[in-house]
Each structure stands twice: as structure tokens, then as C-alpha cells.
Amino acid sequence: MWQRELAVSAPGKVILHGEHAVVLGKVALAVALDLRTFLRLRPGAEGRLSVSLPGVGVRRSWDTPALRALRGRIAGKARGEEQLPRCREGISLDALREFAGIAAGASAPGSLATLAFLYMCLAISAKDVPSVDILVSSELPTGAGLGSSAAYAVCLAAALLMVCGAISCPLQEGESTARWTEEELTLINSWAFRGEQVIHGNPSGVDNAVGTWGGALRYQAGKITPLKRVPTLRILLTNTKVPRSTKVLVAAVKEKILKFPAIMNPVLDSIDAISQECQSVLEAMPANPSPEHYPVLEEFFDINQHHLNVLGVGHPSLDRLCQVTASHSLHSKLTGAGGGGCGITLLPPDTSPLAVEAAKQDLCACGFECWETKIGAPGVTLHSCSSLSAQVLRALAQS
């Protein structure tokens, strides 16, 4: 039986460069965002498995004997259902939906998070279902393209693998944080990817890899490569709160490329060159860069933002974001699918606190939501609960 109370955290992600071009085989750079999802793990009542996800309105508890019986039934059933599109590790997702009372095709975040939780619990805990109490709180907004579901899946994979003894508990008494070995991180990442598949169907694997390893990753044609060295850069992250459909935006870009290949393909090549040049610049920068390192990164932002507008994924809200920050001598670009969503703004070290605060106030006056944070953050981390900030502890106190 699990005896300790601990916390696990994983970062969100933003795309630094390569949005949309990556779908067509070009390079994209994804970086860990220092807004994190936190999971509190503690011993539960004997024979009970509980999960609380207040951010998406989920509070569920199950008898572990019932879950063991369910796994026995659906594992046998699944062996005769090879044609089922989602039958992983011998566990039928349809049977899990029925058990949890989740309607077929339900896509609400709470439903998908519950389904992923049950799937990962039964698949990872192959011998027994643990009696633990899990509570998850996130600094990441859902549905904003910031990797919130992957951060959840990474935290869940790390916690469950640790409880079941598949990976170590590296935190020693008296330590505030610890991280797992490279081999253990690889296992966490593989299970987090399976959780992402339950939620998203066909994810790229980038979000869970960033959540696991942190730092920055290069992604091209399905191959994920961590950058050798990544500086920590201060940014403003702004959510315009304008909803958009990634699927519709991707389709529109493809249509434009088919219509004007001689015009659009050079734009994609230029975006690819920006990603590769930016990778070289980042890997040559010191861990805490000084102001003279920033002008080239700011130029990359400006050029790429224009390219993304040419691809047709800009939006008046993003234009407004760029105009507001430019009025404070700051440089911004959209991140992710575009068409609304989020933008990122570089904050060089010599940016005055007054300028940052003024920019934030002007952005909030536009109806946007704004965070001052960092990119290049560490990946999945184990914490002693006493080492967490008061704000995180308050959020994790909900039960």
C-alpha cells in the first residue's frame, strides 16, 4: 500500500516557431512553459481509488475490487474485439465508458480526463489497483493549445508508475524536489502518450515529450529531438480567448498552398529556416542570456508573425496583441494554431517592471488573459508537498 504524500508536476508547452509548416514536414520548435499542472498523491482509504479534477468538474471514487473485476472482464472481452479502433493493452475504451457512465462520443474535458484516468490506472497497475487519492490542479487553461492534457497525462503516468513500483521514488527525506532517470522518463513519456491517445486519438507526441523532459524539442516528420542546451527566457503569455478550430485552420492552410504553390512554398521554407536558425541561436546562448542576445530572437518573432499572417492563420485579436506590445517596445507572435488562441511576447532582461506591468494592463483592457512566465522550464518533477508554494498548496487543498 502506498504510504507517502507527494506531489508531481509537469509543464505546459508553446510552439516557438514552425506552426502549420510542421504539418508539411518542416521543423518546429516546442518549448516547456513554466505554467504547470500539479498532482497530489496520498494514501487513500483501503479499497478505494479516488480522483478529483476541480478544474474540469470531476470528483470520482471507485471500489478497487470492482475495478479489478472490470479489468478481468474487459481484458477477456477485448481479445475478441481486435477490430475495435481503440483497444489498448487489452482494455476496451467502450467498456470503460460504460463503466464510468460516459456517453459514446462525449468530448467534454471532464469526460475525457476521467476516461484517460481509468484507462491508465487499469493498464499501468497490471497486478493490483492501488488505494490512493489523487487530486490535480493546473495553472494551464484547457483548450488553449498549451498542452494541458499532456501535462495531466505526464503527471498521472509518473504517479501511477511510482505507486506500482515500475519506477523509483527518487525523493529522499529532506529533499524538496527530485527527477527520475532517463530510462524512467522514457517509460513515463510512453505511458503519457497512451493517455494522450485516449484523449486526442492521434496526437503527435510533442506535448507529452515536452511535459516529460522540459526544455525545448525539435520536431520534424515525427522525429523528436531535444535541444542540447536551452536558456530560460522570460515571456508574457496572452490568451486572446478567441475560440478557433485547429482542424479548420490546418485545412485552410493546405488549401491555400494547393492554390498558390509557387507563392506559399517559399513561405513554408522561410518558416523552416527560422526554426533552424532559432535552434542554433538558442543552443549557443548561455543559461541566463543578457539583453544583447535578444534582438535576433525578436526579429525571428516579427518575421514569423508576418509569415503566419500570409498563411491565413492570423486574427484581428492577434494583430491587436502585437500592436499593444509593440507600443511598449516588445515583440510578439502567435503560438499554436492561430485564428485567435494565444500569443507569446519576449521580455528581455533589461525590460523594466513598469513596462511589463503597463503592457499587461493594456492587454487585459483588450479582454485578454495574461501571464508573466518563462519558457525552457524543467520537465516532470517530484516534489515534497511542504516545498510547494502557498498558492499551489491552496489549489491542492481542494478535495
Side-chain angles (χ1 to χ4, degrees):
M1 182 177 170
W2 185 253
Q3 300 289 346
R4 297 178 69 179
E5 181 171 350
L6 295 168
V8 179
S9 76
K13 75 93 179 55
V14 292
I15 302 298
L16 198 60
H17 292 291
E19 296 93 339
H20 290 283
V22 70
V23 178
L24 298 145
K26 308 299 185 183
V27 173
L29 299 181
V31 291
L33 179 67
D34 203 21
L35 293 174
R36 304 179 74 85
T37 291
F38 291 86
L39 180 153
R40 185 196 68 199
L41 171 70
R42 65 184 183 188
E46 183 62 35
R48 299 292 291 175
L49 172 67
S50 302
V51 63
S52 183
L53 312 169
V56 291
V58 170
R59 182 175 167 80
R60 301 289 300 266
S61 181
W62 298 275
D63 289 325
T64 55
L67 288 169
R68 283 196 295 273
L70 169 70
R71 182 170 53 202
R73 289 198 308 275
I74 63 180
K77 183 182 177 186
R79 281 193 284 274
E81 292 181 352
E82 274 73 17
Q83 76 282 4
L84 251 164
R86 290 214 232 150
C87 179
R88 312 186 195 288
E89 279 70 43
I91 294 175
S92 162
L93 295 185
D94 284 346
L96 286 184
R97 285 190 193 92
E98 184 180 347
F99 174 80
I102 298 170
S107 59
S111 298
L112 294 174
T114 302
L115 188 65
F117 177 82
L118 280 172
Y119 161 74
M120 292 176 76
C121 280
L122 295 188
I124 290 174
S125 57
K127 294 179 181 176
D128 202 2
V129 178
S131 298
V132 291
D133 179 35
I134 286 174
L135 184 142
V136 179
S137 177
S138 187
E139 298 168 340
L140 294 158
T142 57
L146 300 176
S148 61
S149 66
Y152 166 65
V154 169
C155 287
L156 199 52
L160 292 170
L161 287 165
M162 190 169 61
V163 166
C164 296
I167 61 174
S168 67
C169 177
L171 190 73
Q172 303 301 315
E173 289 295 334
E175 290 183 336
S176 56
T177 63
R179 299 203 67 212
W180 288 273
T181 65
E182 193 66 22
E183 185 179 358
E184 290 172 324
L185 290 173
T186 300
L187 185 59
I188 291 169
N189 184 57
S190 68
W191 276 107
F193 180 66
R194 292 183 181 104
E196 276 277 84
Q197 285 179 305
V198 172
I199 294 169
H200 289 299
N202 188 30
S204 68
V206 170
D207 288 15
N208 50 274
V210 172
T212 301
W213 278 284
L217 303 174
R218 171 191 170 119
Y219 179 79
Q220 185 178 26
K223 185 180 179 184
I224 299 171
T225 311
L227 269 61
K228 295 186 188 75
R229 285 195 313 171
V230 188
T232 300
L233 305 176
R234 286 174 62 220
I235 63 160
L236 278 182
L237 173 71
T238 303
N239 186 359
T240 67
K241 301 185 183 177
V242 174
R244 75 278 184 270
S245 165
T246 300
K247 187 176 179 181
V248 168
L249 288 160
V250 168
V253 170
K254 284 188 176 179
E255 185 180 343
K256 187 172 277 197
I257 292 164
L258 289 171
K259 189 176 181 181
F260 304 114
I263 297 170
M264 303 310 295
N265 283 325
V267 177
L268 296 171
D269 289 340
S270 182
I271 291 174
D272 184 62
I274 290 170
S275 295
Q276 298 197 54
E277 287 285 329
C278 186
Q279 177 180 346
S280 298
V281 169
L282 290 175
E283 289 185 328
M285 287 170 76
N288 294 298
S290 53
E292 66 264 21
H293 291 100
Y294 278 75
V296 66
L297 296 178
E298 292 174 335
E299 286 193 77
F300 290 160
F301 266 38
D302 294 342
I303 298 167
N304 202 1
Q305 178 61 23
H306 288 303
H307 285 342
L308 290 162
N309 280 329
V310 170
L311 291 181
V313 298
H315 188 273
S317 64
L318 293 164
D319 293 339
R320 183 72 184 128
L321 188 161
C322 292
Q323 289 162 2
V324 167
T325 56
S327 72
H328 297 280
S329 301
L330 299 171
H331 298 254
S332 303
K333 67 175 284 290
L334 68 84
T335 182
C342 292
I344 50 176
T345 305
L346 280 172
L347 297 178
D350 56 351
T351 309
S352 77
L354 285 175
V356 175
E357 194 55 41
K360 286 166 69 175
Q361 287 181 7
D362 288 351
L363 290 165
C364 291
C366 296
F368 303 156
E369 192 173 8
C370 212
W371 299 266
E372 187 178 346
T373 183
K374 297 173 184 174
I375 53 177
V380 64
T381 302
L382 186 61
H383 307 259
S384 68
C385 288
S386 61
S387 71
L388 297 173
S389 71
Q391 185 177 354
V392 171
L393 285 171
R394 277 195 300 273
L396 291 174
Q398 302 175 64
S399 57

